């Protein structure tokens, strides 16, 4: 197993020291935990969820392969700095390929390190003015992270990307699913999927509930919203 742990520079002018602070590490290991609660969340230490400001979902589907990217923005409504726990329910068989966090307007990417080193670095960072996130992927379909610090009244932007291969199901159909049912109201919600089906295959999706349009464009099928949804609460998963 390996992992990633995120850290960013705060107010330091030393270039060498700053480079050490922006290292992103992610710890991934196996456990038997199951997914509970909302499919995606960023909560404070008391379990109270931070405010959803934005969720932008993009899917690229090519035959049985699907790459999903989620760009998320949360806001800390509290008057104090908090440690947050981010959790995301993944489709069965999905593998995380990217995690990034915005620091001073730039997305800081991750690098895989050995598990014990990730734990050691995270523990050390908790005692210094750095900005880490420790991420874990459970054996099932749960992906979680601890993020510290989340500044008071500040916004936190995260990008999570995962890939999956979906085999044929009953009736010779494939179903790609993005877990969304149970999310709270989101200020700005958008979703787009670009599909390249195999020869002879057709594409369908639950477009009407999400206000999506589906139209062919050459060998591809485009699914997109004419405009972002405001104050939108997903009550169903998106399937295509």
């Amino acid at each position: 197993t390996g992992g990633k742990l995120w850290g960013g520079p705060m107010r330091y002018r030393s270039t060498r020291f700053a480079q050490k602070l922006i290292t992103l590490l992610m710890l991934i290991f196996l456990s038997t935990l199951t997914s509970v609660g909302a499919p995606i969340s960023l909560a404070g230490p008391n379990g109270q969820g931070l405010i959803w400001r934005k969720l932008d979902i993009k899917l690229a589907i090519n035959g049985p392969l699907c790459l999903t990217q989620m760009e998320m923005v949360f806001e800390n409504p509290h008057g104090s700095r908090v440690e947050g726990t981010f959790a995301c329910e993944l489709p069965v068989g999905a593998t995380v390929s990217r995690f990034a966090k915005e620091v001073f307007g730039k997305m800081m990417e991750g690098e895989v390190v050995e598990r014990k080193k990730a734990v050691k670095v995270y523990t050390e960072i908790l005692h210094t003015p750095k900005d880490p996130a420790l991420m874990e992927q459970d054996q099932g379909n749960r992906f979680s992270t601890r993020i510290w610090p989340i500044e008071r009244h500040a916004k936190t932007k995260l990008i999570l990307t995962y890939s999956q291969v979906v085999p044929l199901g009953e009736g010779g159909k494939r179903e790609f699913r993005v877990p969304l049912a149970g999310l709270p109201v989101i200020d700005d919600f958008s979703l787009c999927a670009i599909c390249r089906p195999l020869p002879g295959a057709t594409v369908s999706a639950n477009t009407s509930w999400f206000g999506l349009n589906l139209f062919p464009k050459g060998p591809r099928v485009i699914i997109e919203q004419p405009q972002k949804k405001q104050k939108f609460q997903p009550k169903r998963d998106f399937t295509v």
Side-chain angles (χ1 to χ4, degrees):
T1 57
K4 300 178 182 178
L5 176 68
W6 185 89
M10 299 297 285
R11 297 184 179 88
Y12 301 95
R13 296 182 180 179
S14 168
T15 301
R16 183 177 180 182
F17 187 58
Q19 288 176 343
K20 293 181 180 180
L21 295 189
I22 61 176
T23 302
L24 175 62
L25 313 168
M26 180 161 58
L27 178 64
I28 300 175
F29 62 89
L30 298 180
S31 71
T32 57
L33 297 180
T34 57
S35 175
V36 295
I40 312 168
S41 65
L42 178 58
N46 60 356
Q48 185 176 4
L50 275 64
I51 300 173
W52 270 97
R53 293 304 185 195
K54 176 182 178 181
L55 175 58
D56 178 53
I57 302 172
K58 292 182 174 64
L59 294 88
I61 300 173
N62 191 340
L65 307 175
C66 180
L67 182 69
T68 302
Q69 175 179 286
M70 296 189 295
E71 179 180 316
M72 300 155 284
V73 177
F74 301 87
E75 183 175 342
N76 176 12
H78 308 294
S80 60
R81 172 189 292 181
V82 299
E83 177 181 9
T85 299
F86 169 76
C88 179
E89 178 184 341
L90 303 175
V92 175
T95 301
V96 172
S97 55
R98 181 191 182 199
F99 173 74
K101 184 177 185 293
E102 185 179 45
V103 184
F104 302 125
K106 296 182 178 181
M107 299 307 299
M108 308 308 298
E109 303 296 334
E111 62 176 306
V112 176
V113 300
E114 192 270 334
R115 175 182 176 178
K116 290 183 179 179
K117 179 180 179 181
V119 174
K120 181 176 182 292
V121 172
Y122 183 81
T123 302
E124 291 175 351
I125 286 178
L126 286 179
H127 300 288
T128 63
K130 303 179 185 179
D131 189 359
L134 181 64
M135 304 203 67
E136 308 166 354
Q137 184 167 357
D138 304 329
Q139 187 174 10
N141 59 341
R142 191 73 170 176
F143 188 72
S144 63
T145 175
R146 289 173 286 166
I147 300 178
W148 164 264
I150 301 175
E151 300 296 340
R152 62 177 185 171
H153 304 302
K155 293 181 180 179
T156 299
K157 178 179 177 180
L158 305 173
I159 292 180
L160 180 66
T161 303
Y162 59 84
S163 58
Q164 61 182 128
V165 178
V166 176
L168 288 174
E170 294 183 4
K173 296 181 179 180
R174 304 181 201 274
E175 181 179 85
F176 299 93
R177 179 181 297 273
V178 181
L180 296 174
L183 288 180
V185 174
I186 302 169
D187 285 356
D188 293 305
F189 176 87
S190 56
L191 190 152
C192 175
I194 300 177
C195 310
R196 187 182 290 269
L198 295 174
T202 59
V203 176
S204 62
N206 56 343
T207 55
S208 59
W209 197 86
F210 288 91
L212 300 166
N213 294 329
L214 186 153
F215 56 92
K217 189 174 183 180
R220 301 178 299 172
V221 175
I222 310 298
I223 303 172
E224 63 181 6
Q225 291 171 313
Q227 60 184 11
K228 291 182 179 181
K229 282 187 169 292
Q230 309 293 320
K231 301 295 182 181
F232 178 71
Q233 183 177 15
K235 295 183 179 180
R236 302 179 184 178
D237 295 344
F238 173 71
T239 58
V240 57

